[in-house]
Amino acid sequence: MLVQDRLTPKSPKSHIRALHSLHPHRFSEPKNLDFSTWFSENLYKIVTISLLIATVAALCFLRNVADTAVLVSYETKAKSLEKIEFPQINWNSVTLVSDKSPYANFRSERWVIVSVSNYPTESLRKLVKIKGWQVLAIGNSKTPSDWSLKGAIFLSLEQQANLGFRVVDHLPYDSFVRKNVGYLFAIQHGAQKIFDADDRGDVIDNDLGKHFDVELIGEGARQEIIHQYSHEDPNRTIVNPYIHFGQRSVWPRGLPLENVGDIGREEFYTEVFGGKQFIQQGISNGLPDVDSVFYFTRKPGLEAFDIRFDEHAPKVALPQGTMVPLNSFNTLFHSSAFWGLMLPVSVSTMASDVLRGYWAQRLLWELGGYVVVYPPTVHRYDRIESYPFSEEKDLHVNVGRLLKFLVSWRSSKHRLFEKILELSYVMAEEGFWTEKDVKFTAAWLQDLLTVGYQQPRLMSLELDRPRASIGHGDRKEFIPQKLPSVHLGVEETGTVNNEIGNLIRWRKSFGNVVLIMYCSGPVERTALEWRLLYGRIFRTVVILSEQKNADLVVEEGHLDFIYKQLPNIFSRFTSAEGFLFLQDNTILNYWNLLQADMSKLWITNKVSKSWSTVSTGGNSDWFSKQADMVKKVVSMMPVHFQVSYKETISSDQQLLTVCSSDVFYIPRRFIADFTDLVNLVDNLEIHHKVAIPMFFLSMDSPQNYDPVLSRMIYEENPSSTNSTTSYSDKVPAVHPWNVPSEQEFIKLIRIMAAGDPLLLELV
């Protein structure tokens, strides 16, 4: 090392002079450093440099602004792709459609609309003979090509397509919802009343006017006061009308299962003036409108149902805020409610008319109208034909939540059709139906205008006004009969039988929980079955798989990084109580989850074969890389996440926590935290089995997790075939279990029936 001598320094000026003598043109002796003098002499340099710096800064700013604008634009477009598009309609541009059918000059005020899949039944032949009513039969892909019935108008698929209605493009070929075309056709040809019927019901005494109020105004109107359910309980949103007509142990299709046990009679009724019962629901003797749960669990062997109701009970109205299930085979619509005939197309078959009924009832309140339920108007015959529970899945999964939503819904729109479109849109956002029905509603409303329908005028909503107190003189008593019934599912004490009671309890616990299921197996063979199994219990079942399948509503997802998709699913169900993730190699015994705390996290941290700590030292590079990425994410975590994570994890940098993450639950209060953690991972390729335990440890301490999954059966090495000995209905979950086909699914259902006997009705 060279060290310079520390000599006394020469003066600066003498040093400069020495340099000047050696290089006379290189340096000049500095002038006086007075600031004002220096500033004045160098002003042009200062200005030049300042302009240069400002120019560069401006260019950088503009570039960043442009980049930000592009990013914001991209993010906005990405979000818009996820959102349901609200239809934009120019109502003034909708013109009348010309009628090119052979019936262009035919007019009738009273129509009966039926869907036909087979040759005319005896009941349909009787309908044709009812005086003053025109029968319109709507065909589908199952209808015989030579279908014909004297006195009835028949519209085949080809004829429907030629009518020029927009709704035709949205309708399935093989479904009764093609009646939508019939409704429009009837309105186009002068309808003022439409009786929505089916082809297996006989109108009692061949007279629709015997109980229905066919005329509301004018000479034939009864102009009478009607009994009305009490509005004293503001929390009551639904009633079972069968109790009023003498059958306490029977419930209609569309009644939430949790209300099946409410069999007490009405303490008192109020009254309402008739004239605005624009939708009239009739009761059916023989086979009433019941759901598959009732049909399968109350049926006395192979004997046909023949249930009778009290024909002398008074008709009864529903006040605003209270609803009743409506159907599509015994319901009379007056012209003021024709807009409410629309049968949705994106829900299961047996749910379509019920969801229509609730949707229409809510909108009917905007007109000051109401629903009235009438004594038996038809006798329907039980053909002893069963239909699968899956056809009602949209009822049992969503109807209770739908009622609460509809009663609370408000709109600031000033025209009825605008309110209708808005409600359909919001119902799609809430998951009650899909975007298909938003587009279908837009087509339906435009078609109504093209056939000459006039929008009814709006009225102020009674729900938003203070309710009048019910005085003693306003109370009207009616004691329903207790007609004989062989259906003893509901005992006279008011308790519900064990099987139905269990289903009600499960729905109450998990009815607002979304199940997110990842299918590694063939979804074309099992997707519908999984929805059938779990859709009865949970709010909805979102299915993910490697391959997207639009027909089965299966979304694309990659298991290794599936957690990155979860926040998008969370955002679609903003009112959900929580989200349960499940892989199809794990069977969930939901009946053993009732005691779990729905406000806490659930995961298999106490199942040793599922949750483990791995040393990265002696393992492959994969574990080391995963550990490095985890360390990076933890270093970026906000203090509350980082503290929670480090309180549990050892300071040893060579340890990595891994969890199979086949099943876990995230309650609503942790959704924002989970989303924040996913955003921290960003584009790092942290595996699902590593990311999930890291997230859980960061969100909360393991001592606060609910231990419900700790008793699950978990084996690491799956066998090639399922063994009944490895299954138990006493534990919350079983892993692994392979369901590659419908046959294996049926086997699974049969052994799960030990915990849920109603499952046997599905196979």
Side-chain angles (χ1 to χ4, degrees):
M1 180 185 294
L2 297 176
V3 181
Q4 293 182 333
D5 295 335
R6 297 180 180 271
L7 302 176
T8 304
K10 299 178 181 180
S11 70
K13 287 189 176 181
S14 62
H15 181 64
I16 291 173
R17 288 192 189 101
L19 288 174
H20 179 71
S21 63
L22 291 174
H23 305 284
H25 304 292
R26 185 173 179 182
F27 293 101
S28 61
E29 187 171 338
K31 300 177 182 178
N32 193 339
L33 293 179
D34 178 70
F35 179 75
S36 60
T37 304
W38 178 86
F39 181 80
S40 61
E41 292 180 354
N42 294 279
L43 179 60
Y44 76 95
K45 295 180 182 179
I46 295 171
V47 172
T48 302
I49 293 172
S50 298
L51 288 173
L52 180 62
I53 293 172
T55 302
V56 172
L59 289 173
C60 292
F61 173 77
L62 290 173
R63 180 177 179 181
N64 288 336
V65 168
D67 290 344
T68 303
V70 171
L71 179 60
V72 170
S73 174
Y74 176 81
E75 291 177 346
T76 302
K77 289 179 180 178
K79 289 180 179 179
S80 67
L81 289 174
E82 296 175 5
K83 291 184 64 178
I84 297 173
E85 184 177 352
F86 189 88
Q88 301 299 320
I89 301 174
N90 183 354
W91 302 104
N92 295 324
S93 67
V94 180
T95 58
L96 294 176
V97 64
S98 59
D99 183 1
K100 299 178 181 179
S101 73
Y103 310 99
N105 296 320
F106 178 79
R107 293 292 182 274
S108 177
E109 289 191 358
R110 301 178 177 184
W111 290 75
V112 178
I113 313 293
V114 296
S115 173
V116 293
S117 298
N118 300 301
Y119 288 109
T121 62
E122 189 59 33
S123 295
L124 189 53
R125 295 181 189 278
K126 293 178 181 178
L127 273 177
V128 172
K129 296 177 181 178
I130 296 179
K131 186 178 179 179
W133 292 82
Q134 175 60 52
V135 172
L136 173 60
I138 303 299
N140 55 56
S141 59
K142 302 173 185 176
T143 311
S145 58
D146 58 344
W147 197 97
S148 177
L149 177 62
K150 185 178 179 179
I153 296 176
F154 171 67
L155 294 179
S156 65
L157 286 177
E158 182 179 359
Q159 290 171 309
Q160 295 170 38
N162 293 330
L163 293 174
F165 298 151
R166 295 171 176 82
V167 297
V168 173
D169 295 334
H170 302 268
L171 297 171
Y173 290 105
D174 61 348
S175 172
F176 84 98
V177 300
R178 298 197 70 85
K179 291 173 81 174
N180 285 296
V181 176
Y183 305 143
L184 291 169
F185 183 89
I187 296 168
Q188 186 181 39
H189 291 83
Q192 294 299 312
K193 296 95 182 173
I194 291 178
F195 180 54
D196 211 4
D198 72 358
D199 63 353
R200 61 170 170 174
D202 292 348
V203 175
I204 295 175
D205 296 333
N206 294 316
D207 183 7
L208 283 170
K210 181 175 181 178
H211 289 301
F212 282 129
D213 290 310
V214 176
E215 300 296 336
L216 296 181
I217 58 175
E219 190 175 325
R222 292 191 175 102
Q223 298 292 336
E224 57 189 353
I225 295 176
I226 304 172
H227 277 67
Q228 180 177 257
Y229 283 101
S230 166
H231 61 256
E232 188 176 51
D233 180 2
N235 296 317
R236 182 172 70 169
T237 58
I238 187 74
V239 295
N240 178 357
Y242 292 172
I243 299 172
H244 176 84
F245 294 98
Q247 289 289 358
R248 298 160 56 108
S249 65
V250 187
W251 65 88
R253 177 171 55 97
L255 187 77
L257 291 178
E258 56 263 34
N259 295 100
V260 167
D262 300 336
I263 63 171
R265 71 174 180 87
E266 196 76 355
E267 184 179 344
F268 63 87
Y269 296 81
T270 58
E271 291 180 331
V272 64
F273 287 103
K276 291 192 175 182
Q277 57 268 43
F278 300 141
I279 300 179
Q280 303 175 13
Q281 178 64 62
I283 297 290
S284 303
N285 278 337
L287 176 63
D289 185 22
V290 294
D291 61 23
S292 60
V293 175
F294 181 92
Y295 193 88
F296 286 127
T297 60
R298 302 293 171 271
K299 196 164 187 61
L302 295 177
E303 182 183 345
F305 275 134
D306 188 13
I307 302 172
R308 302 301 174 109
F309 293 87
D310 182 7
E311 63 180 11
H312 301 294
K315 58 192 174 188
V316 59
L318 280 299
Q320 290 191 14
T322 306
M323 297 188 182
V324 68
L326 304 179
N327 59 51
S328 60
F329 53 76
N330 187 15
T331 312
L332 182 68
F333 286 76
H334 282 261
S335 59
S336 293
F338 279 174
W339 47 265
L341 283 161
M342 185 195 82
L343 289 165
V345 296
S346 69
V347 296
S348 54
T349 306
M350 301 304 292
S352 181
D353 56 346
V354 175
L355 264 63
R356 173 188 75 173
Y358 289 133
W359 168 84
Q361 283 177 82
R362 175 58 188 86
L363 291 163
L364 194 63
W365 301 342
E366 302 288 340
L367 307 178
Y370 49 85
V371 171
V372 169
V373 185
Y374 290 75
T377 51
V378 302
H379 185 104
R380 293 179 76 233
Y381 295 95
D382 184 6
R383 296 173 180 169
I384 318 182
E385 295 175 353
S386 63
Y387 53 87
F389 185 94
S390 59
E391 290 297 324
E392 292 180 354
K393 62 183 177 63
D394 294 307
L395 290 183
H396 301 300
V397 170
N398 280 327
V399 69
R401 188 172 63 89
L402 173 63
L403 291 170
K404 295 177 183 178
F405 164 78
L406 289 174
V407 171
S408 64
W409 177 76
R410 297 292 184 274
S411 171
S412 60
K413 301 295 184 182
H414 301 295
R415 300 180 69 188
L416 176 63
F417 279 17
E418 292 173 351
K419 287 180 180 285
I420 292 173
L421 191 58
E422 182 183 44
L423 179 56
S424 291
Y425 176 80
V426 178
M427 283 177 61
E429 284 192 318
E430 290 293 321
F432 298 116
W433 53 37
T434 73
E435 187 175 9
K436 287 182 181 179
D437 277 312
V438 180
K439 296 177 179 178
F440 184 65
T441 303
W444 167 258
L445 294 175
Q446 292 177 86
D447 280 341
L448 282 174
L449 295 178
T450 64
V451 297
Y453 184 73
Q454 299 293 320
Q455 297 187 51
R457 296 180 61 181
L458 297 173
M459 302 280 286
S460 60
L461 195 65
E462 290 181 16
L463 278 179
D464 293 335
R465 299 201 298 262
R467 293 289 184 107
S469 59
I470 303 173
H472 183 74
D474 299 322
R475 302 186 177 202
K476 305 301 175 184
E477 188 175 84
F478 168 73
I479 301 176
Q481 294 190 42
K482 294 182 181 179
L483 297 180
S485 175
V486 296
H487 315 290
L488 302 179
V490 182
E491 300 174 1
E492 290 302 310
T493 58
T495 60
V496 185
N497 87 319
N498 188 54
E499 294 173 9
I500 299 296
N502 284 337
L503 190 56
I504 292 170
R505 283 194 294 274
W506 302 331
R507 282 289 300 152
K508 281 187 175 180
S509 295
F510 309 116
N512 198 23
V513 173
V514 174
L515 179 67
I516 304 173
M517 190 164 190
Y518 187 87
C519 286
S520 301
V523 292
E524 66 277 3
R525 300 179 186 174
T526 58
L528 292 177
E529 283 75 6
W530 289 125
R531 282 200 174 92
L532 177 63
L533 171 60
Y534 294 125
R536 304 155 58 247
I537 308 300
F538 296 95
R539 169 173 170 175
T540 192
V541 180
V542 177
I543 296 183
L544 305 167
S545 184
E546 284 290 330
Q547 297 294 325
K548 180 179 179 179
N549 190 317
D551 293 335
L552 297 175
V553 198
V554 175
E555 303 173 27
E556 182 180 358
H558 304 290
L559 182 58
D560 290 355
F561 310 106
I562 200 66
Y563 62 90
K564 295 186 178 184
Q565 286 184 243
L566 299 187
N568 287 332
I569 298 175
F570 298 161
S571 66
R572 283 152 46 187
F573 301 95
T574 54
S575 61
E577 182 181 358
F579 297 83
L580 183 63
F581 179 86
L582 183 71
Q583 289 190 47
D584 64 347
N585 61 3
T586 303
I587 303 305
L588 195 68
N589 292 338
Y590 40 83
W591 53 87
N592 292 322
L593 300 176
L594 288 177
Q595 303 305 317
D597 191 333
M598 306 300 294
S599 66
K600 293 185 176 182
L601 295 166
W602 312 350
I603 199 167
T604 53
N605 62 305
K606 293 186 177 181
V607 181
S608 60
K609 294 181 180 179
S610 172
W611 180 290
S612 60
T613 302
V614 179
S615 173
T616 60
N619 279 291
S620 65
D621 288 343
W622 185 88
F623 287 100
S624 298
K625 291 178 181 178
Q626 291 289 311
D628 290 341
M629 289 187 285
V630 168
K631 182 180 178 182
K632 182 176 180 180
V633 171
V634 171
S635 69
M636 296 186 293
M637 286 180 181
V639 60
H640 56 291
F641 289 146
Q642 196 171 133
V643 168
S644 177
Y645 180 83
K646 290 183 177 180
E647 280 181 351
T648 308
I649 293 299
S650 169
S651 59
D652 189 341
Q653 299 295 321
Q654 291 189 324
L655 294 179
L656 179 68
T657 301
V658 178
C659 178
S660 61
S661 304
D662 305 296
V663 54
F664 56 84
Y665 170 76
I666 306 171
R668 165 60 53 190
R669 68 189 184 99
F670 286 107
I671 293 302
D673 288 347
F674 189 94
T675 302
D676 290 343
L677 290 165
V678 171
N679 292 335
L680 283 177
V681 172
D682 196 19
N683 60 354
L684 293 176
E685 295 185 350
I686 300 181
H687 196 276
H688 178 70
K689 295 183 178 181
V690 176
I692 293 300
M694 176 182 69
F695 293 168
F696 269 65
L697 293 173
S698 303
M699 289 189 290
D700 202 2
S701 171
Q703 66 185 11
N704 295 327
Y705 301 168
D706 192 285
V708 64
L709 296 174
S710 62
R711 297 187 301 106
M712 73 175 289
I713 294 175
Y714 193 96
E715 297 296 334
E716 291 182 285
N717 301 315
S719 59
S720 57
T721 58
N722 299 317
S723 173
T724 55
T725 58
S726 62
Y727 176 84
S728 170
D729 64 300
K730 307 299 183 186
V731 299
V734 177
H735 174 92
W737 198 275
N738 184 31
V739 185
S741 65
E742 294 179 12
Q743 290 74 20
E744 288 297 323
F745 182 82
I746 291 173
K747 292 179 183 177
L748 171 65
I749 290 297
R750 285 174 176 159
I751 63 171
M752 289 182 70
D756 181 3
L758 280 179
L759 286 175
L760 290 176
E761 307 297 342
L762 305 182
V763 296

